[in-house]
């Protein structure tokens, strides 16, 4: 019997944390609640969650800093929770490495759906795909394998959250084809994703920080339209 997936809930409002725990427990997840940033960092090490639901406004160490410190050593999925609805807050959260961003107050069904969606994207990294189903593209100094969620750049593995890898694979699997931000948002995040096209820009920025342009290929901006994986002849 498979063990339950573990969700770490970080929120200083105990009522909200308990409500979230109730929703997720009904879906057969194991949950653990903490109420400040320091507890969150300790619980991450001791509890070993599969996903973190992280409130931004925490006493002491805020959610942004918690995300930053965890991202420095792990690609564990993180969904940020916040009453803040400004685009700046969403973009900052995504830039720090969050996988999704949910505004309070939220619908219980939406929260559970987001958790399931993020975990689905993360799980394939731990599964082996049949040879016939392997999704892999190769270029000089770059191998992107979406079947086992790995990227090899200049002979070395690169840590990359699921959506970054999916975006890179999608672009690289159709070299020189231009995709609009809306097309990328729809394909990678899904039509149900309530987000901003700047989400795509944030993820491209993070990809460029990890993978520099090569003399034979590059992650190119097509101004006024979107992006393409450009392969040079």
């Amino acid at each position: 019997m498979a063990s339950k997936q573990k969700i770490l809930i970080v929120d200083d409002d105990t009522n909200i944390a308990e409500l979230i725990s109730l929703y997720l427990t009904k879906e057969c997840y194991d949950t653990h609640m903490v109420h400040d940033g320091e507890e969150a960092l300790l619980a991450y090490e001791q509890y070993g969650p599969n996903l973190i639901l992280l409130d931004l406004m925490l006493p002491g160490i805020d959610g942004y800093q918690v995300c930053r410190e965890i991202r420095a050593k792990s690609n564990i999925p993180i969904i940020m929770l916040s009453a803040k609805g400004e685009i700046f807050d969403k973009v900052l959260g995504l830039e720090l490495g969050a996988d999704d961003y949910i505004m309070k107050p939220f619908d219980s069904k939406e929260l559970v759906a987001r958790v399931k969606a993020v975990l689905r994207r993360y799980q394939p990294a731990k599964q082996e795909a049949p040879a016939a189903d392997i999704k892999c593209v190769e270029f000089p100094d770059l191998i992107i394998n979406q079947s086992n969620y790995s990227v090899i750049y200049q002979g070395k593995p690169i840590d990359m959250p699921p959506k970054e890898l999916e975006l890179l694979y999608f672009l690289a699997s159709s070299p020189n084809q231009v995709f609009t931000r809306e097309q990328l948002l729809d394909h990678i995040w899904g039509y149900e994703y309530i987000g901003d096209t700047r989400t795509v820009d944030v993820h491209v920025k993070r990809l460029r920080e990890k993978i520099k342009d090569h003399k034979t290929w590059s992650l190119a901006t097509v101004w006024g339209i979107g992006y393409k994986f450009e392969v040079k002849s």
Side-chain angles (χ1 to χ4, degrees):
M1 183 176 177
S3 59
K4 292 182 179 180
Q5 291 184 297
K6 298 189 287 186
I7 312 293
L8 176 60
I9 302 166
V10 187
D11 199 308
D12 62 333
D13 188 321
T14 56
N15 291 328
I16 291 178
E18 289 172 0
L19 193 61
I20 293 172
S21 178
L22 179 63
Y23 296 150
L24 295 175
T25 301
K26 285 182 178 179
E27 297 293 326
C28 296
Y29 293 106
D30 183 80
T31 65
H32 180 69
M33 295 175 286
V34 296
H35 308 295
D36 65 49
E38 290 185 4
E39 283 185 310
L41 293 173
L42 185 62
Y44 161 71
E45 298 288 350
Q46 296 180 347
Y47 179 56
N50 298 101
L51 180 144
I52 300 173
L53 286 168
L54 178 62
D55 186 34
L56 292 182
M57 305 305 291
L58 297 170
I61 304 173
D62 66 18
Y64 291 119
Q65 185 60 30
V66 172
C67 183
R68 186 181 291 111
E69 292 192 26
I70 290 176
R71 268 294 166 265
K73 51 191 172 184
S74 172
N75 284 328
I76 180 174
I78 297 174
I79 299 177
M80 285 188 168
L81 305 173
S82 178
K84 293 184 173 183
E86 296 295 327
I87 292 299
F88 171 79
D89 296 306
K90 294 181 182 179
V91 170
L92 178 58
L94 292 167
E95 283 185 332
L96 291 176
D99 294 273
D100 206 345
Y101 188 107
I102 302 177
M103 286 176 54
K104 298 178 182 178
F106 47 77
D107 178 80
S108 61
K109 292 181 180 178
E110 179 189 2
L111 174 70
V112 171
R114 296 282 190 97
V115 167
K116 289 181 176 180
V118 170
L119 284 171
R120 274 198 306 271
R121 289 194 291 266
Y122 186 73
Q123 283 304 107
K126 300 180 180 180
Q127 299 172 354
E128 293 294 330
D133 297 332
I134 289 177
K135 296 180 179 180
C136 184
V137 291
E138 296 187 30
F139 300 92
D141 290 327
L142 180 65
I143 302 173
I144 310 160
N145 189 325
Q146 188 172 296
S147 295
N148 64 11
Y149 276 63
S150 66
V151 175
I152 306 298
Y153 174 59
Q154 294 183 340
K156 297 179 180 179
I158 301 293
D159 287 335
M160 195 171 290
K163 285 203 289 292
E164 283 183 31
L165 188 147
E166 290 168 12
L167 177 59
L168 180 61
Y169 176 83
F170 182 69
L171 289 167
S173 61
S174 299
N176 296 321
Q177 183 173 340
V178 179
F179 295 95
T180 66
R181 290 170 175 82
E182 290 79 8
Q183 287 174 320
L184 295 171
L185 193 66
D186 180 70
H187 182 84
I188 305 301
W189 284 265
Y191 68 89
E192 78 284 357
Y193 181 75
I194 304 171
D196 186 271
T197 53
R198 274 181 273 189
T199 299
V200 176
D201 298 333
V202 169
H203 282 73
V204 169
K205 177 184 175 184
R206 280 158 50 181
L207 283 171
R208 285 172 170 161
E209 289 171 353
K210 297 174 182 178
I211 297 176
K212 307 302 180 184
D213 288 349
H214 192 272
K215 62 182 179 181
T216 64
W217 52 261
S218 65
L219 190 54
T221 300
V222 181
W223 297 107
I225 302 176
Y227 298 97
K228 67 176 178 178
F229 188 87
E230 184 175 11
V231 176
K232 303 160 189 176
S233 55

